[in-house]
Amino acid sequence: MSSAAATGRRLDPQAGEVIDRGSPLSFRWDGKAHTGFEGDTIVSALMASGVDVFSRSFKYKRPRGVLSATFHDPGCTVQVGDEPNVRAAHRRLAAGMDVSPENVWPSLKFDVRAANQLVGRFLSAGFYYKTFMKPQRLWPAYQKILGRFAAGGVTAADAEHGYYDKRYIHVDVCVAGGGPAGMAAAVAAARSGASVLLVDEEYHLGGHLRYGGEAELAALAELRAEVAAQKSIEVMTNAAVTGRYDMNWIAVVQRQPGISVRGRSIHERLCKVRAGALVVAAGLIERPYVFEGNDLPGVMLSTAVRRLVNLHAARPGDKAVVFTANADGDACAQDLRRIGVGVTVVDARTGGNIVSAKGGKRLKSVDLADGRSVDCDLLVTAVGWTAATPLLNMAGDRPVYDPTPARFFPTDRLPATVVVAGALAGDGSTAELIAHGTAVGATAAARAGHGSEVPVPALARVAHPELYRSTTHGFVDYSEDVSSKDMFAAKKEGYDSIELVKRYTTVTMGPSQGKLESVNAVAIMAEAHGVTDLNEIGTTVWRPPYVPITLGALGGRGFENTRFSPMQSWHEQHNAKPLVAGDWIRPEHYGDAAAEVAKVRDKVGIIDVTPLGKLDLRGPDVPKLLNLLYVNKWSKLAIGAVRYGVMCAEDGVVMDDGVTGRLAEDRYIMTTTSSGAATVWEWAESWLQTEHPDWQVHVTPVTTGYASMNVAGPKSRELIGRVVEGVDLSNDAFPYMHVRTATVAGVADCFMWRIGFTGELSYEIHVPAAYGLHVWEALFDAGSDLGVGAFGVEAQRIMRLEKGHFIVGQDTDGLTLGFGADLGWCIKLDKDDFAGKPELVLQSQRENYQRLVGLQPVDPTIVPAEASQIVEGAKKIVGRVTSSRMSPTLRRSICLGFVEPHLATPGTVVTCQLPDGRRVQLKVIEGLAHFDPAGARMKV
Amino acid sequence: MSKVRYPAKYSALGLIKHGLMKGDWPQVWRHHELKPSYDVVIVGAGVHGLATAYYLAKNHGITNVAILDKGYVGGGGSGRNTSIVRSNYLTPEGVRFYDRSVKLYEGLSADLNFNIMFSQMGHLTLAHNDSSLRTMRWRAEVNKLEGIDSDVIGPDEIKKLVPYMDTSENTRYPIVGALYHPPGGTVRHDAVNWGYARGADIRGCEIHQQTEVQSIETADGRVVAVDTNRGRIATRTVVNCTAGWASLINVMVGLKMPLVTHPLQAAVTEPVKKFLNAVVVSGSLHVYVSQTDRGELVFGASTDPYASYSMRGSLEFTEELAGHVLELMPGIAKMRLLRQWAGLCDMTPDFSPIMGITPVEGFLVDIGWGTYGFKAGPVSGESMAQLIATGTTPENIKAFDLARFPEGRLVGEKGAAAVGH
């Protein structure tokens, strides 16, 4: 029948229907206007208005319709607006939805690529491994053609990110699955005093009861009332437990939670749940049957038909064959008769079988094993169930196949806090399932600390025929277009384990994640191997997520740590160019870095160095810690003195540097590089906690507790003198490399030290953070007549390079041991022990390492790009430039770099290859400093 | 170089012939009884072990070779990686070595008569700050000196290559440039494993799946036999080509090497129409991503911070991954993550492998591949085969010897790791 003829497939009101006939909704499908009702899924609305085909398959472009009418229905994936791969058999219809088929060319009705079916015999699974090999240069062209067949919808480069949020939930019991057993478990757990989260994938609780008969609906009403009566149960529908991790760390994805934040609705939400106990009541998934034509539109599972008829009042066909092996199939036949569909029943329990389905865009007839051919537009199969075991798998279980009921069952390998309820554990009437759930719920609550355990009644394992494949071949994986024939061929070719056949044919690798396909795939492999016990084949490992989750929900709002100093507002007002430096955003410059350098060299400048890592060290054993972490000696640091130190990791590689000052008998402040603050703190703690727990040292990170500013330049003492109280600033009383506590601009408890990263007389002032901006502004007010100006990171980088101070991580790398960084002067190998000592001892006995040297281009106008390589001959690399700048002070280019030892002698001229291929000469200078090597300027 | 005839050559014509006659293709590799002795026993039927066997047979005529695996062909790291191939490394030794691998990959489909689907779509390593840009420049300069197509490009060029990329300046991690390596790309990892297995099998090497090495016998400081769950094999040469379990095999001959095993997680999305035509890597954001011909996005990240033999995925991994991918390409927020998994990486202190002879005579290693193993499969196999056949360590793997650790000759490739580890 053509879809145009089949209008008016909406049935009269059904007892359990979930549509609201008073609320019609208009939407578009494939460019045409349609209407449905509130409560419809996209597919039920379309089916009610006569649409049979929703997609084209991946490889052969075969028309596909409804199979399972659930989220994982492989043929019902559509594009909705800018959202690809929407599960149309699950997604609720909304007014104005623009729904279109995915991956059709040129149209859903006629896809020229369906011609692939004609040559399908040449395109066996994995055919692409066997051709398109020569010439290699043509592979991109072949690839483009293959790419045209790729499945899936479209994304847009500028699609809205949307607003996603996360929620943390702490409950005693989380119940996965809101069928009768799950609902009963939730109620029982709540009655025991537990808090409960009850999660179900559908829009309403009830599982299979929702589309059952009168008795089921009555039982459901009762259960719903009981759930509603328990205040400690939170019900979350249209949500799924997607993963179970260690200690019942549970991921739940909540779809369209109906929440808006700041006017934007949340598309999906990731809920992260820590539960005392997890009840897995995920139930059973109806399994398709493998036979010729099993993917034709009109071939459906019994549960799909019952959902469409009883929940959505959509007539799935006019004349049906029902192939049944169980009570659900029988009930489906009854439902169909009730709505006036002619039904031919083929009963597997009495030897009936179906052989093949015939048709084009819709089923036309079915050939039966008894030789009959029955005209029909609907073929219903009810051949058994796949236990929804992935969550059990994630909890460490390896379910075992039982041939009598023809499905997998959990074993006793589960942790005590993961309990199975309902059909996963066995078969039973509604009452028996509820009783089982009740006992399991109470047990779960007990294991989460509420009430006591009760005996759980055993559920029977009712015999069910093992029905996987008929006498013909059909699709095993609908989303991947993998047939049983492909699997047999793959096995014969040697891809003979389930893992290999999965990889070779891609069976179970599609968007339905094997929920419909896995057990059939195992059964087909068993058949191919000639074994009857499915356990001999094993199963592939179920991995999270149980259902696909949007990247938006997983990523959430993206809380990325961002740090600003207390002076940020000032920087913004003064047009600072922001520089991303790890967590921190810092001023790179305020317009002209060279002018900032001149200001510091001639007058006085101030830089915000708040990001410097700062650790407050207290206790009598601090010197021991310092001796251990730093390569130099710390035993004799006097109160009021400051020393520079370098840390190496245990492999001798330079890891951080900074100064540490002694403020009082038992109090030290250590500074680290800005990027190393956290690492050094962890490093110190790991030594203290694992190797020296007896040492009396407290390490407190105070990086953001202080605002830090460095006042540098010949006039810095004069400026400081105007704001500091109670400190004699004369060089004799407060010399270079010393620290003083002080009151600065009226702010007490500041400390400041004289150090010289820039090479100038300078005072680094550390102010309680809340007063940072106040002190900063006070310095500028006090120094306006001195010509004070702010300088940024770039000016500081230029000045430290002029002075030859290296930067860890820039002028050193992951292999730079201490001696390679010209640190021989401060590495004290005669110390008892310190981190990295053994490696440094070894290095001191070798010559084969590159040396850090100062370099000056022979042509002073050329600034070699940092990372330019130093070469010998055509291509031999003998070093590299690690830092380079034009020096405004020296009016020439200056560099630091690594060279092989034979080139490290001062005066050596080396060859540097620039990124554009030019080669220039660089001269090795004496020491690392280009400017004021004796340090006269900073010690005044 | 020995030439062989496959009983059924793979070709378009072959597909048509088999399609018409409905004939079966011969087994891609065969099953064998375990023999009491082999000239060479290779532990691990991943890309390294299979390639070693293939080149032993093909280049050196050594075919009395057993490849043992406790699982199935290509079931470890070789089937779990994100199948990226590139040669834009940091050290000259690394660059030359991986360049040879890229060259072998380029000819591998024809050589193996098995389409490995090498898509040289181009490889972009993003820099989000000046220090990572400096490392990109460093790599580019070393690459250029070694003759590798590799250079630093700016945000505008990046946007042209990847229109979905957010190259605006006002992001948390602005993209300031990238190392662009046009020959880089992806291959189909399973095809490489199977192609080598088929090529080794047809030349007489024996692949033994479900065969677990339980101990290794030595006498007078040399290997004499391997004991497996299927029996004892006498041999004078054992090659450890495992990943994840390399230290456990080493211990069987009493060797300890500087290896720490970390899980490395990966994930894949549902397919959407092709929109990403490059491999994109961001070190700062700990993510790499490419799109398969089928339309799925394949993601990888940094190794897990703890040492473990567990191959389970974590929720935090997917959260961080998704957040970072959306930083780069905000438009794909509604794509869905389909599957996550993990593999094991044996990390060495300098992020370079350990290859060659060991203090135990006859016990060779090709291990410690960290996160780079798959890329290096072909060249490692070729080099290890040469070492086994000639008894002399080839020039291109000399730098990766075990002795470099006590002698302080580390080959620092940390800076070329795809993402921070």
Side-chain angles (χ1 to χ4, degrees):
Chain A
M1 91 168 20
S2 79
S3 55
T7 50
R9 283 209 202 143
R10 185 70 77 179
L11 300 166
D12 294 336
Q14 302 294 306
E17 73 179 27
V18 296
I19 53 172
D20 177 0
R21 292 172 191 254
S23 305
L25 302 172
S26 307
F27 67 105
R28 295 182 77 76
W29 161 247
D30 206 5
K32 293 195 189 71
H34 288 262
T35 54
F37 293 121
E38 184 81 50
D40 258 324
T41 64
I42 294 170
V43 155
S44 72
L46 287 172
M47 178 158 274
S49 64
V51 177
D52 298 322
V53 179
F54 302 103
S55 68
R56 289 268 176 176
S57 70
F58 168 55
K59 185 165 151 191
Y60 299 119
K61 305 303 163 195
R62 291 169 63 89
R64 293 275 164 82
V66 168
L67 177 67
S68 70
T70 57
F71 184 86
H72 43 263
D73 194 324
C76 298
T77 300
V78 300
Q79 180 92 26
V80 177
D82 67 7
E83 186 181 358
N85 303 343
V86 173
R87 302 328 203 253
H90 174 83
R91 178 68 63 85
R92 278 266 178 87
L93 191 65
M97 260 185 176
D98 182 16
V99 186
S100 51
E102 291 184 338
N103 187 35
V104 290
W105 190 64
S107 73
L108 183 61
K109 287 212 174 98
F110 173 72
D111 192 314
V112 294
R113 297 166 304 173
N116 256 7
Q117 291 175 68
L118 303 177
V119 294
R121 60 162 76 162
F122 310 126
L123 305 182
S124 51
F127 77 94
Y128 33 80
Y129 294 125
K130 295 193 174 78
T131 183
F132 307 137
M133 282 166 285
K134 281 189 199 171
Q136 167 71 25
R137 69 186 155 77
L138 278 187
W139 169 241
Y142 298 133
Q143 211 180 359
K144 275 209 172 117
I145 299 167
L146 289 176
R148 292 217 78 123
F149 282 82
V154 293
T155 53
D158 54 354
E160 194 190 6
H161 180 164
Y163 190 93
Y164 293 83
D165 218 335
K166 292 180 188 174
R167 184 183 160 201
Y168 287 84
I169 302 173
H170 295 82
V171 285
D172 296 318
V173 177
C174 175
V175 181
M183 293 169 85
V187 169
R191 283 186 180 147
S192 297
S195 60
V196 181
L197 178 69
L198 174 58
V199 183
D200 194 82
E201 198 172 3
E202 302 287 338
Y203 291 89
H204 300 283
L205 292 179
H208 67 275
L209 298 182
R210 294 169 305 146
Y211 44 83
E214 219 170 288
E216 282 84 6
L217 290 176
L220 177 55
E222 207 168 301
L223 277 170
R224 281 182 178 163
E226 284 180 33
V227 169
Q230 294 300 327
K231 295 291 169 257
S232 60
I233 299 178
E234 177 179 351
V235 175
M236 200 179 274
T237 54
N238 193 20
V241 176
T242 65
R244 187 272 178 192
Y245 304 88
D246 287 348
M247 314 290 289
N248 281 342
W249 180 232
I250 292 162
V252 177
V253 61
Q254 196 181 5
R255 307 186 184 107
Q256 293 91 44
I259 299 166
S260 290
V261 176
R262 288 184 226 121
R264 302 168 78 183
S265 73
I266 294 176
H267 181 69
E268 246 181 42
R269 177 159 69 167
L270 178 65
C271 301
K272 306 200 306 183
V273 184
R274 184 72 77 178
L278 171 67
V279 175
V280 182
L284 305 176
I285 298 168
E286 193 168 23
R287 192 161 32 71
Y289 192 43
V290 179
F291 60 96
E292 189 183 323
N294 65 344
D295 67 326
L296 282 171
V299 178
M300 299 180 202
L301 305 180
S302 77
T303 45
V305 169
R306 299 192 77 199
R307 282 160 188 269
L308 289 166
V309 170
N310 296 331
L311 294 178
H312 298 108
R315 175 194 292 270
D318 294 321
K319 189 164 184 296
V321 169
V322 176
F323 177 53
T324 172
N326 53 44
D328 290 74
D330 303 343
C332 181
Q334 264 183 31
D335 283 344
L336 287 170
R337 288 195 183 104
R338 189 188 77 234
I339 61 167
V341 173
V343 176
T344 305
V345 170
V346 180
D347 197 324
R349 291 158 296 191
T350 55
N353 202 352
I354 52 174
V355 176
S356 66
K358 302 273 159 57
K361 284 180 190 139
R362 173 95 200 197
L363 175 71
K364 287 199 173 75
S365 68
V366 177
D367 290 347
L368 307 182
D370 60 15
R372 280 184 296 161
S373 176
V374 183
D375 288 345
C376 59
D377 65 351
L378 179 64
L379 168 58
V380 182
T381 65
V383 298
W385 312 94
T386 293
T389 57
L391 288 176
L392 306 179
N393 221 271
M394 294 174 209
D397 198 15
R398 293 285 176 274
V400 171
Y401 182 73
D402 183 346
T404 306
R407 64 179 199 259
F408 283 84
F409 282 85
T411 70
D412 54 7
R413 288 176 56 171
L414 285 170
T417 53
V418 177
V419 213
V420 178
L424 279 179
D427 300 296
S429 64
T430 304
E432 285 167 331
L433 291 172
I434 290 171
H436 188 259
T438 302
V440 166
T443 299
R447 290 180 186 173
H450 295 273
S452 47
E453 295 198 20
V454 298
V456 176
L459 287 171
R461 294 187 181 186
V462 175
H464 191 291
E466 289 183 274
L467 287 166
Y468 298 102
R469 186 174 79 89
S470 179
T471 51
T472 50
H473 285 294
F475 286 99
V476 179
D477 190 320
Y478 296 77
S479 10
E480 299 286 308
D481 266 357
V482 180
S483 71
S484 48
K485 197 174 164 187
D486 290 325
M487 292 185 63
F488 274 86
K491 188 260 159 188
K492 272 193 181 156
E493 218 176 313
Y495 303 99
D496 48 7
S497 69
I498 188 72
E499 289 290 348
L500 284 170
V501 80
K502 181 181 96 175
R503 286 168 176 276
Y504 187 67
T505 64
T506 72
V507 69
T508 74
M509 308 260 290
S512 48
Q513 297 166 300
K515 290 185 191 67
L516 297 172
E517 306 88 350
S518 270
V519 176
N520 279 343
V522 170
I524 303 276
M525 279 305 276
E527 195 186 343
H529 278 275
V531 301
T532 51
D533 183 1
L534 268 51
N535 290 311
E536 284 186 39
I537 301 300
T539 49
T540 58
V541 178
W542 296 92
R543 296 180 171 120
Y546 175 64
V547 292
I549 317 180
T550 57
L551 297 179
L554 285 169
R557 241 194 292 175
F559 290 104
E560 292 293 340
N561 200 8
T562 307
R563 287 172 151 186
F564 297 103
S565 88
M567 289 81 91
Q568 176 64 16
S569 58
W570 191 95
H571 301 321
E572 285 172 16
Q573 284 159 21
H574 291 79
N575 303 317
K577 181 172 185 289
L579 174 76
V580 178
D583 287 350
W584 291 90
I585 311 293
R586 309 184 62 181
E588 183 173 2
H589 56 73
Y590 300 84
D592 183 351
E596 291 165 18
V597 170
K599 181 138 284 198
V600 175
R601 295 272 183 242
D602 297 341
K603 294 173 181 163
V604 57
I606 312 178
I607 181 172
D608 181 352
V609 291
T610 302
L612 271 179
K614 295 175 277 288
L615 299 174
D616 188 320
L617 311 175
R618 299 197 191 205
D621 291 324
V622 171
K624 287 185 187 166
L625 177 67
L626 297 176
N627 270 329
L628 179 69
L629 298 182
Y630 284 125
V631 298
N632 50 340
K633 291 186 181 173
W634 290 84
S635 306
K636 292 179 182 156
L637 188 72
I639 295 172
V642 171
R643 192 170 289 168
Y644 171 78
V646 175
M647 294 180 194
C648 290
E650 282 174 289
D651 54 8
V653 171
V654 177
M655 69 177 274
D656 207 81
D657 70 344
V659 300
T660 292
R662 188 173 186 184
L663 269 57
E665 177 64 29
D666 281 358
R667 186 184 177 203
Y668 296 70
I669 295 280
M670 171 189 281
T671 58
T672 73
T673 60
S674 301
S675 55
T679 316
V680 173
W681 178 36
E682 285 173 19
W683 182 237
E685 284 293 348
S686 77
W687 282 106
L688 288 172
Q689 292 179 26
T690 62
E691 302 295 325
H692 300 287
D694 54 318
W695 286 3
Q696 294 183 45
V697 182
H698 276 294
V699 181
T700 311
V702 292
T703 301
T704 50
Y706 288 97
S708 305
M709 48 204 90
N710 193 310
V711 184
K715 295 190 175 172
S716 55
R717 181 177 288 127
E718 191 177 348
L719 171 55
I720 293 287
R722 296 179 183 178
V723 293
V724 169
E725 298 161 39
V727 180
D728 180 352
L729 292 173
S730 70
N731 194 40
D732 291 341
F734 183 7
Y736 179 62
M737 294 307 272
H738 280 74
V739 60
R740 296 288 180 267
T741 51
T743 297
V744 183
V747 179
D749 296 326
C750 301
F751 65 91
M752 58 182 182
W753 46 40
R754 281 186 62 185
I755 55 169
F757 197 46
T758 58
E760 294 296 327
L761 170 69
S762 78
Y763 297 83
E764 195 166 277
I765 311 177
H766 302 272
V767 180
Y771 297 97
L773 183 60
H774 162 74
V775 172
W776 179 268
E777 286 178 335
L779 283 165
F780 281 90
D781 288 346
S784 55
D785 62 313
L786 300 174
V788 66
F791 66 104
V793 174
E794 176 58 18
Q796 187 187 47
R797 284 176 179 161
I798 294 170
M799 287 186 277
R800 69 88 201 175
L801 181 57
E802 289 175 339
K803 190 69 185 79
H805 289 142
F806 71 80
I807 295 178
V808 175
Q810 172 167 351
D811 301 298
T812 69
D813 59 58
L815 285 183
T816 308
L817 276 67
F819 289 102
D822 198 31
L823 289 168
W825 62 274
C826 79
I827 300 172
K828 302 298 179 195
L829 295 179
D830 59 337
K831 273 204 295 182
D832 258 3
D833 193 19
F834 60 92
K837 180 178 173 185
E839 286 292 335
L840 291 171
V841 168
L842 280 174
Q843 193 195 19
S844 71
Q845 295 156 0
R846 291 196 312 260
E847 286 294 323
N848 64 343
Y849 54 90
Q850 293 194 345
R851 314 295 158 97
L852 186 66
V853 294
L855 294 162
Q856 291 189 348
V858 171
D859 177 346
T861 64
I862 290 173
V863 183
E866 289 172 349
S868 292
Q869 298 296 300
I870 294 168
V871 295
E872 263 180 0
K875 58 176 246 186
K876 186 168 183 234
I877 295 169
V878 290
R880 73 176 197 280
V881 173
T882 58
S883 292
S884 65
R885 285 291 187 277
M886 178 56 73
S887 161
T889 311
L890 302 171
R891 300 183 193 284
R892 73 158 356 271
S893 51
I894 54 172
C895 314
L896 283 178
F898 275 108
V899 293
E900 290 288 335
H902 70 281
L903 300 171
T905 317
T908 310
V909 174
V910 299
T911 304
C912 172
Q913 179 160 322
L914 304 181
D916 62 9
R918 277 184 302 151
R919 290 192 167 197
V920 297
Q921 308 291 308
L922 313 178
K923 192 172 169 188
V924 177
I925 64 166
E926 182 79 41
L928 302 182
H930 300 270
F931 176 68
D932 187 24
R937 298 176 67 90
M938 49 192 190
K939 293 174 184 168
V940 292
Chain B
M1 300 270 267
S2 74
K3 280 250 172 201
V4 292
R5 277 185 67 82
Y6 287 97
K9 200 165 184 272
Y10 293 166
S11 66
L13 202 66
L15 282 167
I16 292 171
K17 210 168 84 186
H18 279 268
L20 287 176
M21 323 219 318
K22 296 187 189 286
D24 296 324
W25 288 95
Q27 286 204 356
V28 63
W29 60 80
R30 291 159 291 185
H31 295 277
H32 301 274
E33 291 302 313
L34 211 55
K35 290 195 292 193
S37 78
Y38 292 90
D39 293 341
V40 179
V41 170
I42 295 169
V43 187
V47 62
H48 284 256
L50 294 165
T52 301
Y54 175 78
Y55 292 112
L56 269 176
K58 185 184 172 217
N59 294 354
H60 307 284
I62 297 172
T63 60
N64 187 22
V65 177
I67 305 128
L68 315 181
D69 200 290
K70 70 173 185 172
Y72 57 96
V73 165
S78 301
R80 294 167 183 272
N81 62 84
T82 49
S83 68
I84 296 166
V85 173
R86 63 187 171 91
S87 62
N88 58 351
Y89 279 71
L90 181 58
T91 64
E93 297 88 343
V95 172
R96 274 175 232 142
F97 185 72
Y98 289 97
D99 183 47
R100 175 65 187 157
S101 217
V102 169
K103 295 279 176 350
L104 286 169
Y105 269 123
E106 284 172 347
L108 206 54
S109 289
D111 187 36
L112 296 177
N113 179 232
F114 204 111
N115 189 355
I116 62 154
M117 301 184 217
F118 187 14
S119 306
Q120 293 180 288
M121 59 183 87
H123 185 283
L124 280 171
T125 312
L126 303 174
H128 301 274
N129 54 46
D130 60 343
S131 76
S132 56
L133 193 61
R134 195 179 305 117
T135 306
M136 297 311 135
R137 171 60 66 197
W138 181 2
R139 283 166 66 180
E141 294 313 308
V142 173
N143 293 172
K144 282 190 270 182
L145 282 162
E146 292 294 330
I148 306 299
D149 188 357
S150 174
D151 211 344
V152 173
I153 62 173
D156 293 345
E157 288 161 280
I158 295 169
K159 185 82 182 172
K160 262 183 224 150
L161 289 165
V162 184
Y164 275 58
M165 191 80 70
D166 184 354
T167 51
S168 59
E169 282 178 18
N170 51 1
T171 57
R172 177 64 182 82
Y173 298 99
I175 294 167
V176 296
L179 181 66
Y180 181 45
H181 177 47
T186 61
V187 305
R188 177 92 181 99
H189 51 19
D190 290 332
V192 175
N193 301 330
W194 299 336
Y196 273 126
R198 174 166 167 263
D201 171 86
I202 196 69
R203 286 170 171 82
C205 303
E206 294 183 2
I207 295 165
H208 295 282
Q209 301 177 99
Q210 309 296 333
T211 307
E212 183 170 1
V213 173
Q214 292 170 331
S215 63
I216 299 171
E217 295 173 32
T218 56
D220 303 327
R222 71 155 302 120
V223 165
V224 293
V226 172
D227 291 293
T228 77
N229 59 337
R230 291 173 59 206
R232 181 178 184 275
I233 305 167
T235 185
R236 292 174 68 79
T237 305
V238 172
V239 192
N240 181 0
C241 286
T242 59
W245 298 273
S247 356
L248 302 180
I249 300 290
N250 284 347
V251 164
M252 293 180 186
V253 293
L255 289 176
K256 273 189 91 173
M257 296 186 196
L259 297 172
V260 183
T261 303
H262 286 257
L264 175 64
Q265 300 193 49
V268 65
T269 67
E270 291 177 2
V272 296
K273 284 291 179 199
K274 191 98 175 169
F275 69 92
L276 179 60
N277 287 303
V279 179
V280 175
V281 179
S282 165
S284 305
L285 292 172
H286 307 286
V287 63
Y288 35 98
V289 53
S290 66
Q291 191 175 20
T292 67
D293 292 332
R294 294 153 48 83
E296 304 142 325
L297 291 184
V298 179
F299 301 122
S302 43
T303 50
D304 288 344
Y306 41 83
S308 169
Y309 289 117
S310 158
M311 284 192 281
R312 276 180 297 173
S314 69
L315 177 62
E316 290 68 24
F317 160 75
T318 57
E319 294 182 81
E320 206 161 292
L321 176 82
H324 288 163
V325 167
L326 293 176
E327 277 286 322
L328 300 175
M329 297 185 282
I332 60 170
K334 286 178 180 168
M335 284 185 74
R336 290 182 185 80
L337 194 90
L338 187 60
R339 205 164 40 241
Q340 67 176 117
W341 66 93
L344 297 181
C345 298
D346 291 332
M347 312 303 291
T348 61
D350 59 356
F351 280 55
S352 285
I354 307 174
M355 297 179 79
I357 56 168
T358 69
V360 176
E361 206 183 326
F363 184 77
L364 285 70
V365 291
D366 173 18
I367 56 173
W369 282 99
T371 62
Y372 299 163
F374 184 72
K375 304 164 178 58
V379 66
S380 302
E382 186 185 56
S383 308
M384 289 304 291
Q386 190 184 336
L387 166 59
I388 295 161
T390 65
T392 310
T393 304
E395 203 57 44
N396 66 341
I397 62 168
K398 273 191 176 155
F400 303 134
D401 64 336
L402 179 61
R404 76 177 183 277
F405 297 105
E407 291 170 16
R409 292 181 282 106
L410 303 194
V411 186
E413 281 295 356
K414 201 164 184 169
V419 299
H421 292 285

